[in-house]
Each structure stands twice: as structure tokens, then as C-alpha cells.
Amino acid sequence: MEKTTVKKIATRDAYGQVLVELGHENPDIVVLDADLAKSTKTAEFAKVFPERFFDVGIAEANMIGMAAGLATCGKIPFASTFALFGSLRVADMIRNSVCYPNLNVKIAVTHQGLTLGEDGASHQAVEDIALMRAIPNMTVIIPADATETKKAIRAAANTHGPMYIRMGRPSVPVLFDDSYEFEIGKGVQIREGNDVAIIATGVMVHIALEAAELLAQEGIQARVINMATIKPIDEEIIVKAAQETKGIVTAEEANIYGGLGAAVAEVLCEKHPAKLRRVGVQDTFGESGKPDELLQKYGLTAENIATKAKEMLK
Amino acid sequence: MSTIAEGKLAELKQRANHIRQEIVKMVAAANSGHPGGSLSAADILAVLYFHEMNVGPEKVNDPDRDRFILSKGHASPVLYATLAEKGYLPKEELATFRRINSRLQGHPSKKLLPGVEQSTGSLGQGLSTANGMALAARLDKREYRVYALLGDGEIQEGMIWEAAMAAGHYKLDNLVAILDYNHLQIDGNVEDIMDIGPVADKFRAFNWHVIEMDGHNIEEIVAAFAEARTVKGKPTFIVAHTIKGKGVSYMENACGWHGVAPNEEQLKQALAELCAQGGDK
């Protein structure tokens, strides 16, 4: 990967842009928000398609139920709010009104994890991946950059079924160009290496690439896998990494319990036992601070990933 | 106040009676289920499915069909019995209610049974789905109407009030919510547990048109739905004053019959009473 002059775009900004594109292409796309349209960037869609945009006010439960009703009538609703309010707050509505009847509702949340920043722990969802992954019929996607966000949102719009798509607030490096191929359920190897493998998702993908650079300086070749789809998880790419390297580090901006690290551990235990280290939030709440400061304080860093990788090589 | 022909009135009464008989038979056969809150809604569903709504087994995928959501999903027996009476499923299948491999789950499953418009059971969620359906009709310029049946205990759920606020805000005049106001919930009287009154005033304050009716008087039910069709710019909330367990003497107004099945002897008595009320079998 080129390290120079990296363009940075927030995944939520890419979401706002692609929604407008989709709105032009497909009249069945409708968008709901719960008084956070300016932050989630659904306001972009609202400007162009006011008749297909519903700001339900601060009432997330009703938003999910309305999305379900719209979906039963052939609409493709994207329901957006912060990750916390679009998952934990409305878990039962998502389960019973969306996933049980397997409705075509896309819950597209922003302000994921710690990098939500200054608002602090009350707003920082670190449990949502685990929760959404546990609901039958649900697909869970965490795009790594703006390019992948656009492709993932397009794929979501064109694939039937409930989906939870988790995006972020701060700008993150654009890692992929338009030739990047996104497929739901497929991990993508974005750096070669056979000493260790780093499987990362979301904001941690570019940090995993930095970790691979650090390791390379010490002569360690790290494979980096972008695991945008947490469910269904790409078992094949995990098993291959376990077979071809000496151990795997997972990296996610979420609690290590129930998220990407847990999903990889499940696959390894059943299919190909291997060494594993999980970088993520260590079962604790976050706090207020700048996104970069939070990533640093909670160990979501290239240095920590590199350290964990080297542990397995000892 | 005769808004329907005598013959239709007699038919609707008989449909409601059939539905009640199937409810008690179904719950007895399953030895499980919720008879009280199913019996209280039988007249309402009879009018909806045999007079008011544009629905039928041949229309399950018709985009213009009317939609009914049983938000109080535990009253699934009244929905299944009504759907069977309407021909969506054979009446014999009602005996599979709550059994393994059955399409007739304890609470309705949209995926399993054609005619069920939304999976319900976790209380408070159906009205929001109804909002979404009503908005979709507006977007698609379709004429269909959406009906949601709510329990009185159910509207203690906060989500109902989110949905009520939204329906008023969006002026969903193609939406009708019916409250099965039978005054009993599992733990006792609604008034004692968590009073919902004055419920008509509450919904008026949420910008709904409110109608009160005797939920067991077929003509009043017919008239209420007819009035709802004339309302423009507001959703309609119908307060149906009902009797829990209506039609079966020992179940009427008895809290204990919320979620208990009758035994063989009790079933015989229930069916005898219902037959005496004008059923033909």
C-alpha cells in the first residue's frame, strides 16, 4: 500500500453520498433517521428525496418498526442513527419485527465504537457486533474505508435480508480504489505475508496495515485480511491463514467478547486450531476523548497489534 | 343504526360465533394459549375479515390488499380461527396450534403462514409496522388501508406512544388502530396494574380521530370502520369496549383465563354455550 498522500474520508460521508446515488437509481430506496440526519449524513438523501425520507424524531424503536412495515410493502428502507441506538436500544425490535420475519431492512449506523469520541461511553457502542451477530438472519458488515462503504451499501441494497452496517465518525484513509471488489461474506487479503496474519475490520484495517509495516521493519511478514463481513464470516480465508501462518491477530473497534475476534476463534477452534490474539476493547466502557487518543489509550494501535503478533512467534 | 343488511348482520354474527368455537377448541387441543383476549376480539376480526377489509386467500400477495396486524400477538387463536374461517388454511390445521412443526406458532409468524402480515408477540411493536405499511401506501399511491389490533395492557409499552406520535404526525388517515379494551392483563386489572386511561383523550392529544364503540356489537363495529374511512388527515383510534373471554360464561371478565386452556369438561360447556348463542355446529 502507498503510504504517501493518503486521502481521508469518513465512512459516514461515503454513506451519505452513495445513498443519494442509490436514490436516483432505485425509487424503492427509502431512508429513516432518528434526529441525527446531519451526523449520519442521511440529510444528503433528505435534501434530494424529501418525500422518501422520514425523520421519526428521537424514537428509534418506532423507526425500526416503520422500516419493517415499509419493507413488507417492497420498499428498501435504510434506517440510520448512531450504532448504540441502532442496536442495543432496539435489539428486540430488530429481532422480532425485522429478523424473525426476515424483512429487507438495512440498519445502517454511524459513530461506531470508541472513535465516536468526545460524547463518551454513553454513546460508544462496543457491544453491538456481538449482539447483532447473535440474531438469526442478520448480516453484519463493517466497511474499512469510503470505497468499501459505497460498495457495501450498494450490495446491501441489492441483496435481500436484514443487515447491520456499521460505519464511523472520523475520517479514515481511503485504502481501496474503484477496482476493489466487495462481496458480502468474503474477506479480502490486502497484504501478503506468511509469518503471521492480521484479520481486521472497520477502522482497524488501516491500523493493521501500519502494524504490518512495523513488523516488516523487523523482518516479519504479516498477511493482512480485511474482514468487512463479520456475519456470515469467511471461514475459508481464516482457515487458510491459520494453515499458512504461525498465528492470527484480530483487530476490531469493539469488545473482544462476541465480535470479530470471537467469530475467528469459533472458526479456528472447530476447523483448524491455531494461535490467536485479540486486539479490541478489553471488556470495558470507553470515555470522552479524541478518536486517536481513545484508540491509543485502549490499545487499538499498530504497536499493540505488532506486539501481539510477535508474542505468537516466540 | 343499521348500516348493513339484516342478512349480512346475521352472517357476521355467525362468523364471530364460529371463530369463538375454533378458539376454544384450538386452545383446548393445544392445552396452551390465550383464550380470554382472543374471545374478546372475535367480533372485531369477524367484521374486519368478512365486511371491512379487501382481503382473502387469493390476495395474499396482492399489493392492493388491506393489511391487518395483530399487535397483541398472544391472541393468535383469534387470528388463526379467522384466517381459517376465511379459507387461508384448512380448519383441521387449527388442531396443530402450538405443536411442533406447525405453521400456527404460539405467536403469529409472517414467514410461516400466508395471511399473517407481520410477526408479532413481543408487545408494542405492531403499530410501528402498521405506520410503515401506511406510509408505503402513500408513497405508492395505493388505496389500501391498514388495521392494527392493540391490547389494553399492550399500550403500556413505550413504543406504542412513539408510534402513536408518528401516525398523528404523518397524518396517516389510511391507518386504523383498534384497542381491545377488556380491562384485564395477566397480573390483574389494567386500572390497578398501570392505568391507561383516559385513553381516548390520550390518543386525541396525539392527533388521532377517536371513536368509542361496543366491541361486541356488530353494527357498531361496522359503523366505526365506516366512520374511519371518512376521516381525512388523521389516523383513527377505535376504543373497543370488550369483555375478556366473551361468549364463554366462566371465562368472561375472569383474569385467570388470560393464558389458560380449558379442560375437556370446560371445553364441552364452552361449545354448548356458544352453540346456544347461535352457532350452527
Side-chain angles (χ1 to χ4, degrees):
Chain A
M1 304 304 283
E2 293 294 323
K3 283 199 75 183
T4 49
T5 64
V6 179
K7 205 167 137 193
K8 291 179 94 176
I9 302 175
T11 48
R12 61 173 166 149
D13 283 315
Y15 172 55
Q17 291 164 18
V18 74
L19 268 187
V20 174
E21 294 169 22
L22 284 168
H24 283 293
E25 294 164 24
N26 188 341
D28 284 329
I29 302 278
V30 296
V31 176
L32 302 94
D33 206 302
D35 198 39
L36 287 169
K38 292 189 187 79
S39 298
T40 64
K41 303 299 174 184
T42 61
E44 303 300 315
F45 183 92
K47 271 184 231 157
V48 186
F49 307 103
E51 73 288 353
R52 283 193 266 151
F53 176 77
F54 304 100
D55 193 328
V56 301
I58 307 164
E60 295 82 6
N62 182 52
M63 174 172 73
I64 299 298
M66 277 179 44
L70 285 157
T72 66
C73 298
K75 300 297 165 196
I76 306 170
F78 280 78
S80 291
T81 176
F82 288 179
L84 189 83
F85 313 131
S87 59
L88 280 86
R89 189 178 184 99
V90 291
D92 182 29
M93 294 81 199
I94 294 173
R95 180 189 186 276
N96 277 305
S97 285
V98 175
C99 289
Y100 181 37
N102 198 28
L103 295 176
N104 196 22
V105 172
K106 315 303 171 186
I107 298 158
V109 297
T110 65
H111 296 66
Q112 64 184 344
L114 299 179
T115 56
L116 168 139
E118 291 83 347
D119 279 353
S122 64
H123 285 50
Q124 291 164 344
V126 297
E127 314 86 344
D128 55 331
I129 304 176
L131 186 55
M132 291 299 110
R133 195 166 78 85
I135 306 175
N137 288 341
M138 184 61 105
T139 293
V140 179
I141 300 172
I142 311 176
D145 78 342
T147 307
E148 187 167 56
T149 297
K150 289 191 171 184
K151 290 178 183 271
I153 294 295
R154 282 186 171 280
N158 293 321
T159 309
H160 186 276
M163 293 186 197
Y164 183 77
I165 305 142
R166 186 185 197 248
M167 293 165 287
R169 174 189 167 220
S171 295
V172 291
V174 176
L175 304 174
F176 311 119
D177 61 28
D178 282 340
S179 67
Y180 177 81
E181 287 183 22
F182 173 84
E183 190 182 335
I184 294 171
K186 289 282 175 218
V188 178
Q189 183 176 316
I190 56 174
R191 184 184 167 114
E192 308 262 330
N194 286 332
D195 292 326
V196 293
I198 306 167
I199 302 179
T201 194
V203 71
M204 296 307 292
V205 174
H206 79 85
I207 295 170
L209 288 167
E210 286 172 26
E213 288 292 323
L214 293 178
L215 290 164
Q217 288 165 15
E218 300 184 38
I220 300 166
Q221 296 310 315
R223 174 181 305 191
V224 178
I225 292 165
N226 171 25
M227 195 69 91
T229 311
I230 308 296
K231 183 188 171 185
I233 195 93
D234 185 344
E235 297 191 354
E236 203 177 312
I237 203 167
I238 296 170
V239 170
K240 191 159 179 279
Q243 287 165 340
E244 295 176 357
T245 71
K246 299 184 186 72
I248 293 172
V249 184
T250 59
E252 63 196 305
E253 193 197 357
N255 199 340
I256 53 164
Y257 294 150
L260 170 68
V264 170
E266 288 159 13
V267 173
L268 291 179
C269 284
E270 290 195 349
K271 302 282 164 79
H272 192 94
K275 286 185 183 172
L276 174 72
R277 296 288 184 277
R278 292 174 294 165
V279 170
V281 178
Q282 303 294 312
D283 196 30
T284 182
F285 292 105
E287 65 182 83
S288 292
K290 293 192 176 71
D292 286 343
E293 293 171 339
L294 288 158
L295 292 175
Q296 196 70 38
K297 178 166 178 177
Y298 290 85
L300 305 183
T301 60
E303 293 75 14
N304 193 26
I305 293 171
T307 301
K308 299 287 185 201
K310 284 186 283 183
E311 272 178 27
M312 295 185 297
L313 297 176
K314 279 175 190 164
Chain B
M1 185 186 54
S2 189
T3 50
I4 50 169
E6 280 300 316
K8 186 71 187 175
L9 178 62
E11 183 211 320
L12 292 174
K13 283 181 177 171
Q14 192 151 66
R15 297 284 187 194
N17 188 284
H18 291 171
I19 290 165
R20 285 197 165 89
Q21 291 191 42
E22 295 300 340
I23 289 168
V24 290
K25 278 157 60 179
M26 195 186 322
V27 174
N31 195 24
S32 165
H34 297 81
S38 297
L39 291 167
S40 64
D43 299 298
I44 296 163
L45 264 79
V47 173
L48 280 171
Y49 277 83
F50 291 93
H51 180 71
E52 170 66 13
M53 292 199 302
N54 170 34
V55 289
E58 73 288 356
K59 294 179 184 166
V60 287
N61 294 314
D62 181 346
D64 290 316
R65 73 192 183 282
D66 291 331
R67 269 76 165 175
F68 173 77
I69 296 175
L70 184 71
S71 194
K72 47 173 289 188
H74 56 280
S76 55
V78 72
L79 179 60
Y80 298 150
T82 304
L83 292 176
E85 182 76 13
K86 189 78 179 175
Y88 286 82
L89 65 154
K91 285 199 174 176
E92 302 74 58
E93 191 176 342
L94 295 175
T96 69
F97 175 52
R98 284 184 172 249
R99 294 192 188 280
I100 195 83
N101 298 325
S102 173
R103 296 193 294 172
L104 310 185
Q105 293 291 295
H107 297 79
S109 169
K110 174 179 168 62
K111 282 292 282 177
L112 290 180
L113 188 63
V116 172
E117 296 285 1
Q118 172 63 311
S119 302
T120 53
S122 179
L123 292 174
Q125 301 190 25
L127 189 57
S128 292
T129 297
N131 282 348
M133 291 172 168
L135 278 172
R138 180 179 291 173
L139 286 170
D140 290 340
K141 298 185 171 53
R142 293 189 188 276
E143 296 295 313
Y144 67 81
R145 295 173 66 75
V146 184
Y147 300 82
L149 184 70
L150 315 179
D152 48 7
E154 178 185 17
I155 72 167
Q156 292 160 346
E157 289 279 6
M159 186 181 179
I160 287 290
W161 301 97
E162 292 185 11
M165 199 184 303
H169 177 82
Y170 292 121
K171 303 181 181 2
L172 299 177
D173 52 18
N174 53 351
L175 171 67
V176 179
I178 308 115
L179 181 72
D180 184 0
Y181 204 178
N182 61 35
H183 295 271
L184 290 172
Q185 58 188 114
I186 299 178
D187 279 352
N189 292 312
V190 172
E191 287 68 25
D192 298 333
I193 304 294
M194 184 53 63
D195 195 1
I196 61 170
V199 71
D201 291 343
K202 286 184 172 120
F203 272 80
R204 272 188 208 104
F206 277 63
N207 295 316
W208 289 59
H209 176 73
V210 178
I211 301 169
E212 301 214 34
M213 69 177 189
D214 174 350
H216 301 306
N217 181 316
I218 299 289
E219 288 172 287
E220 282 194 32
I221 300 169
V222 167
F225 289 132
E227 180 179 329
R229 285 179 181 271
T230 68
V231 176
K232 298 298 168 213
K234 281 184 176 188
T236 293
F237 186 71
I238 300 177
V239 182
H241 295 282
T242 58
I243 293 168
K244 196 153 183 167
K246 173 72 177 176
V248 178
S249 61
Y250 59 87
M251 289 189 188
E252 288 193 358
N253 289 319
C255 187
W257 285 99
H258 173 88
V260 175
N263 61 30
E264 209 172 313
E265 199 52 39
Q266 290 164 329
L267 173 64
K268 258 167 86 179
Q269 187 190 334
L271 291 173
E273 288 181 15
L274 288 166
C275 283
Q277 290 163 33
D280 59 352
K281 52 178 181 175

